[in-house]
Amino acid sequence: IKYASTMKAIGAMRHLIAAPQRVLPANGKRMSPTLPLAEPKKLWGGRFTGETDPLMEKFNESLEMDKRMSAEDIRGSVAYARALVLAGVITEDESGVIIDGLNRVGEEWRTGTFEVKQGDEDIHTANERRLVELVGAVGGKLHTGRSRNDQVATDTRLWLLGQLVEIKSHLRELIRVAADRAEAEVDVIMPGFTHLQPAQTVRWSHWLLAHAAAWQRDLMRLEDLMPRVATLPLGSGALAGNPFGVDRQFLARELGFFGGVCPNSMDAVSDRDFVAETVFFGSLHLTHLSRWAEDLIIYSSGQFGYVQCSDAYATGSSLMPQKKNPDALELIRGKGGRMIGNVAGLLAVIKGTPLTYNKDLQEGWEIMHDTVDTLQDCIRISIGVLSTIKINPDKMRSGLSADMLATDLAEYLVRKGVPFRETHHISGEAVKMAEDRNCALSDLTVDDLKTINPLFEEDVAKVWDFQQSAEMRDTEGGASKRSVLEQVQKLRTYLSETA
């Protein structure tokens, strides 16, 4: 039995002791002799002799998700090939062959001609398998000193950074649209609400800029996050570092990692903070978009009629012909809820993983992709909605009522020297008088008001002016026209200075 097993093993190795072959690469230069390749095998298959359960193959593979990073995997590998030259691991000629092969693999992904084969469990395995098919055994040198642990972390950071650049551009455009509309429609006044009850007179532009202020904070958070995404893990190996002296600073420069290099190799391959921060950013931004959408959903209802969504962002009812539903806004509001769930889901995946890399972390890619895709869609839809929504200034003005000027009435007496706490009670008495008489607060005469406090004079009539009420709030950030236009200018300055 032992003899038979030995002969079987020798037979299986015969193709490995055939005469060496020369490989002629695409650049026409001959390489050193290399042995012909065996059948494709797993990158980690050396110590395994049994077959993998087909269900486990499917359960383990991630190519369907991480093929979105095919271009980034190629970029990282090209840079790593150059770093191996600098470290003296491969020659310039070998690097040229490998890089040429990688570019061909990348072109296949771009043109949709890349053929996925059994055993391509992830983007790294697939690309290396195809590279070796194209350039021969020299392609196997590319993975020297590199692990899929630092490779996937690098690919993910590269991909995510590119996505965040796009998201940043969309978010800036959303803020710009808000600033433009705020300036153009600055004279439109409307009720401001607390507890969804009419409270004080504000401007439509003031309301717009309130949401834009939250979006600006989101943009600041995004800008703060990006350097931590752009931090290089490549060169960390599986966990302990690279034994061939690759220059990580060179790799950072080559790949555009402006945040520098990860300072600890164990942390580098297991850190997913940058994904968690992105998902949190997405959840908070969608929370802000959801609040904006909720306002517009209310304002577009028949009971309000302040705004009307464009047909491009609304749908009808299959039963009720009169309906125009703000579906785009409702979907933004709903997706905000799912984004909050993404934060909890990702943190739950990460929290139980011991150092360093664990396969659990693969589950984070679906959450990351969903977050990025949802952000891209929601911000662009929001730009469309805000650019095309129609406002009804007359309806907004009709929503104003004299009781919303009760605070102004109290402030009238403050200007005559009465402490505000007293004027608040005096104004409250006036509101009660109007309610008892079933009339508007502004219908009370000066004589009526004098029965509450003798300091009321004929000039109290100026209180019942809604435009004047907004104009009185002329502090920085307030509802006056001057202040609102100042807020617009500040937003534009910020966008210009951070371009």
Side-chain angles (χ1 to χ4, degrees):
I1 294 173
K2 184 175 180 181
Y3 174 81
S5 298
T6 302
M7 293 306 294
K8 182 178 180 181
I10 292 173
M13 295 173 59
R14 281 175 181 164
H15 65 283
L16 295 177
I17 55 178
Q21 299 177 358
R22 286 190 174 272
V23 177
L24 187 62
N27 63 10
K29 297 181 179 180
R30 291 192 176 275
M31 305 295 300
S32 56
T34 57
L35 296 177
L37 293 171
E39 290 298 312
K41 55 189 177 183
K42 299 183 187 301
L43 299 184
W44 44 267
R47 65 92 66 221
F48 289 81
T49 56
E51 294 294 323
T52 306
D53 184 330
L55 179 59
M56 177 57 189
E57 292 269 7
K58 184 175 184 299
F59 191 63
N60 186 55
E61 73 90 22
S62 63
L63 185 58
E64 276 304 304
M65 285 186 296
D66 54 33
K67 68 183 180 183
R68 296 181 66 168
M69 303 188 295
S70 59
E72 288 74 21
D73 192 68
I74 297 297
R75 280 180 60 196
S77 291
V78 168
Y80 192 70
R82 291 173 178 151
L84 288 177
V85 173
L86 295 178
V89 176
I90 61 175
T91 67
E92 286 278 5
D93 286 347
E94 288 173 325
S95 173
V97 173
I98 290 171
I99 292 173
D100 178 71
L102 287 168
N103 289 333
R104 290 161 67 187
V105 175
E107 183 62 22
E108 289 183 1
W109 280 113
R110 283 190 294 274
T111 58
T113 58
F114 187 96
E115 183 182 351
V116 176
K117 294 184 178 180
Q118 185 175 358
D120 290 348
E121 66 184 67
D122 53 42
I123 190 64
H124 326 297
T125 307
N127 281 349
E128 183 172 328
R129 184 265 307 161
R130 183 59 179 144
L131 172 67
V132 172
E133 288 177 354
L134 290 172
V135 305
V138 69
K141 294 187 175 185
L142 176 62
H143 207 59
T144 304
R146 184 173 67 166
S147 165
R148 286 185 298 175
N149 295 357
D150 61 344
Q151 190 175 356
V152 69
T154 303
D155 292 357
T156 304
R157 287 174 181 269
L158 279 173
W159 180 85
L160 186 55
L161 184 61
Q163 296 297 311
L164 293 181
V165 168
E166 290 184 22
I167 289 169
K168 177 181 175 181
S169 175
H170 299 324
L171 185 49
R172 289 174 60 85
E173 177 64 9
L174 179 61
I175 295 170
R176 185 197 64 77
V177 171
D180 288 351
R181 287 207 71 154
E183 181 179 51
E185 297 162 339
V186 69
D187 291 321
V188 178
I189 57 174
M190 63 179 287
F193 297 86
T194 62
H195 308 280
L196 204 53
Q197 304 296 315
Q200 288 184 297
T201 308
V202 297
R203 297 179 183 278
W204 158 254
S205 299
H206 198 200
W207 171 88
L208 263 178
L209 293 171
H211 287 291
W215 302 337
Q216 182 185 16
R217 293 193 300 274
D218 293 332
L219 183 55
M220 291 175 175
R221 268 182 284 272
L222 178 56
E223 290 169 338
D224 182 68
L225 160 66
M226 290 174 75
R228 289 190 292 280
V229 176
T231 305
L232 178 83
L234 191 58
S236 297
L239 76 160
N242 188 292
F244 294 96
V246 297
D247 186 342
R248 297 187 67 209
Q249 295 294 337
F250 165 80
L251 284 169
R253 292 191 299 271
E254 193 79 358
L255 291 170
F257 279 97
F258 55 87
V261 302
C262 298
N264 180 284
S265 62
M266 294 180 71
D267 179 61
V269 298
S270 59
D271 167 34
R272 294 299 182 268
D273 288 4
F274 66 98
V275 180
E277 285 192 70
T278 298
V279 175
F280 171 74
F281 157 76
S283 71
L284 188 54
H285 181 55
L286 258 291
T287 296
H288 292 149
L289 284 184
S290 178
R291 297 187 74 191
W292 168 77
E294 170 69 2
D295 275 354
L296 289 180
I297 290 167
I298 293 170
Y299 295 166
S300 67
S301 67
Q303 291 85 347
F304 280 76
Y306 292 176
V307 301
Q308 184 179 45
C309 288
S310 163
D311 289 352
Y313 300 100
T315 65
S317 167
S318 61
L319 178 65
M320 298 166 284
Q322 82 280 9
K323 294 293 293 299
K324 185 174 185 180
N325 302 321
D327 282 11
L329 296 168
E330 291 172 357
L331 285 168
I332 289 171
R333 186 176 60 183
K335 290 177 187 297
R338 194 177 79 244
M339 295 285 271
I340 293 170
N342 281 353
V343 176
L346 180 62
L347 293 180
V349 168
I350 295 172
K351 75 170 187 63
T353 52
L355 287 180
T356 53
Y357 180 81
N358 298 269
K359 201 59 175 276
D360 314 43
L361 298 176
Q362 181 172 293
E363 292 300 301
W365 299 163
E366 282 188 79
I367 294 173
M368 178 182 70
H369 292 156
D370 178 60
T371 297
V372 167
D373 293 344
T374 302
L375 274 170
Q376 295 266 24
D377 292 345
C378 287
I379 299 174
R380 287 185 290 179
I381 289 292
S382 297
I383 293 170
V385 170
L386 186 54
S387 299
T388 60
I389 200 166
K390 295 178 181 178
I391 65 172
N392 189 334
D394 291 338
K395 278 281 192 178
M396 291 180 180
R397 193 175 189 94
S398 69
L400 299 167
S401 57
D403 60 300
M404 295 174 59
L405 299 171
T407 304
D408 300 71
L409 187 65
E411 292 163 352
Y412 167 87
L413 290 177
V414 168
R415 291 182 175 88
K416 291 183 178 290
V418 183
F420 175 76
R421 188 49 57 204
E422 291 183 33
T423 69
H424 185 280
H425 290 295
I426 293 168
S427 181
E429 289 182 49
V431 171
K432 181 67 166 58
M433 180 183 290
E435 288 177 350
D436 290 343
R437 295 184 182 185
N438 196 27
C439 69
L441 184 60
S442 56
D443 290 338
L444 296 178
T445 66
V446 176
D447 290 337
D448 292 332
L449 293 172
K450 279 182 176 292
T451 65
I452 303 173
N453 189 285
L455 292 178
F456 283 113
E457 303 289 346
E458 292 295 335
D459 62 349
V460 74
K462 296 178 181 179
V463 169
W464 316 123
D465 183 334
F466 294 110
Q467 279 282 2
Q468 180 65 16
S469 177
E471 283 301 291
M472 294 296 287
R473 274 71 186 166
D474 192 38
T475 51
E476 185 174 354
S480 73
K481 182 174 181 177
R482 183 208 62 80
S483 178
V484 167
L485 291 176
E486 181 181 67
Q487 293 166 52
V488 170
Q489 186 54 48
K490 285 180 178 178
L491 265 185
R492 287 179 172 159
T493 299
Y494 173 77
L495 291 175
S496 174
E497 291 177 349
T498 57

